[in-house]
Amino acid sequence: VNVLFWKWVLMRRLAAVDIITTHTNVDLDALASMVAAQKLYPGATLVFSGMLSKNVEEFMALHKDAFNIKKGISEIPMEQVSRVVLVDTQKLSRLGKIASLLNKPGVEVHIYDHHPRSEGDIRGDFEQIDMVGATTTILVEKIMERNLPVNPLEATLLALGIYEDTGSLLFTSTTPRDA
């Protein structure tokens, strides 16, 4: 019986799917955060939860082949999702159809965000919520801590994410960490 149990555990883990997603109306900070999070969760699938902002549409039109991003929940095997990594949001109402995954038993939730907590926000099994100008900042720090490689296009996108959400580093929410 013990051997069968461990075979079941192994097969479940092999079939498990981790996804990284963000809020609907994806902006550059959200897109950059998704790409940065994939460095921390290699093998995770990037999934858009809804519409894209104009800036993201233009960026993706130029670089659609550089990033393998699913266009929605219909492109992933929902029954195999074991972990959802949320970036740049904690709001259930901003996740579209992906929100249904958060109530599934056995689905782990990790959250990286720079927005202050409010009542009704999603609670994660792991959370890093820091008051900085962009969620990308938090994830770039983790990439730097782990000395993970970043190619020039990824570095450009990460800078664009921080640049957009901090108003070119001029918004009052910008911190020295963002710079």
Side-chain angles (χ1 to χ4, degrees):
V1 173
N2 201 12
V3 172
L4 289 175
F5 171 76
W6 287 110
K7 275 187 174 181
W8 176 82
V9 168
L10 180 61
M11 292 306 290
R12 186 173 176 338
R13 191 64 209 149
L14 288 175
V17 174
D18 292 348
I19 67 166
I20 299 169
T21 193
T22 188
H23 55 78
T24 55
N25 198 28
V26 179
D27 59 17
L28 284 170
D29 183 36
L31 175 61
S33 295
M34 288 174 64
V35 169
Q38 194 174 41
K39 294 288 186 181
L40 305 174
Y41 299 86
T45 302
L46 302 178
V47 183
F48 286 135
S49 61
M51 302 298 293
L52 310 179
S53 71
K54 187 176 187 315
N55 287 344
V56 172
E57 280 182 5
E58 291 172 359
F59 183 87
M60 291 305 294
L62 292 172
H63 305 289
K64 64 180 173 261
D65 296 331
F67 304 101
N68 182 17
I69 305 177
K70 305 294 182 193
K71 293 186 180 20
I73 197 168
S74 63
E75 294 188 32
I76 58 169
M78 287 185 53
E79 67 283 351
Q80 293 178 346
V81 173
S82 61
R83 179 171 27 206
V84 177
V85 179
L86 296 177
V87 296
D88 202 30
T89 190
Q90 308 164 57
K91 304 251 176 267
L92 195 61
S93 62
R94 295 196 71 199
L95 292 178
K97 293 178 182 175
I98 288 179
S100 65
L101 289 171
L102 302 182
N103 296 324
K104 279 183 53 187
V107 173
E108 198 175 318
V109 178
H110 292 197
I111 300 170
Y112 297 88
D113 198 5
H114 72 116
H115 300 99
R117 274 211 165 277
S118 61
E119 193 170 323
D121 282 350
I122 299 163
R123 293 292 180 179
D125 298 289
F126 171 84
E127 300 177 351
Q128 183 161 359
I129 301 164
D130 295 345
M131 296 304 106
V132 292
T135 300
T136 304
T137 299
I138 298 165
L139 294 158
V140 165
E141 289 174 338
K142 292 203 161 297
I143 288 169
M144 291 170 61
E145 284 170 12
R146 297 181 188 180
N147 201 27
L148 298 172
V150 176
N151 69 40
L153 180 58
E154 292 166 338
T156 300
L157 176 58
L158 300 177
L160 286 171
I162 294 170
Y163 183 82
E164 182 183 68
D165 245 35
T166 62
S168 308
L169 301 175
L170 296 175
F171 289 165
T172 56
S173 59
T174 303
T175 69
R177 289 170 61 187
D178 297 298

